[in-house]
Amino acid sequence: MKRLLITLSCALGALTASAQSTPPDDALYQALGGTPGLTKLMDDFVPRLTADPRIAEFFKETKLSELKKQLVDQFCVVSGGSCIYEGETMKNSHAEMKIRKSDFNALVEVLQQSMDQQGIPFTVQNRLLARLAPMHRDIVNTR
């Protein structure tokens, strides 16, 4: 929980626009192992999501192979890789799901468990979570 609070507080300034002439910074993507590393992470993360009693209900009607592919692409883009995310916006895909802050926090905890299991260093985890954290504004839609 402490890691979550640190990560979310760091996220406020985490996303900055790059100058168009500056090549994308893919250091985080590389630190996560590129697409193979992200795929391995999602191989661990997606089953944990469906097994966690706090959030499993959100995934019972989800085609898990498609979810995994979308997450790999999304995390690739967020971390600076050259992938293309073609899924729905976070706001559209979660609009009817009645997601609370506690649900979002549970998902983050599960992601942290998966990153720990994969041996992703704490500093790399925090960098990724800081880039993902602003999505909560589009995902959390219920008090």
Side-chain angles (χ1 to χ4, degrees), residues 24-36:
D25 179 5
D26 72 345
L28 178 55
Y29 172 73
Q30 295 301 327
L32 291 164
T35 300

Side-chain angles (χ1 to χ4, degrees), residues 3 32 38 41-42 44-46 48-49 52 54-55 71 75 104-118 120 125 128-129 132:
R3 287 173 34 184
L32 291 164
L38 290 172
L41 176 60
M42 292 310 138
D44 186 89
F45 180 52
V46 170
R48 285 179 192 266
L49 287 176
D52 190 296
R54 299 171 296 173
I55 53 178
L71 288 171
F75 279 45
F104 182 84
N105 290 345
L107 183 135
V108 172
E109 288 175 23
V110 172
L111 177 58
Q112 288 173 318
Q113 292 167 1
S114 289
M115 290 191 289
D116 285 342
Q117 183 66 34
Q118 297 306 307
I120 296 172
Q125 290 184 32
L128 176 62
L129 291 171
L132 293 170

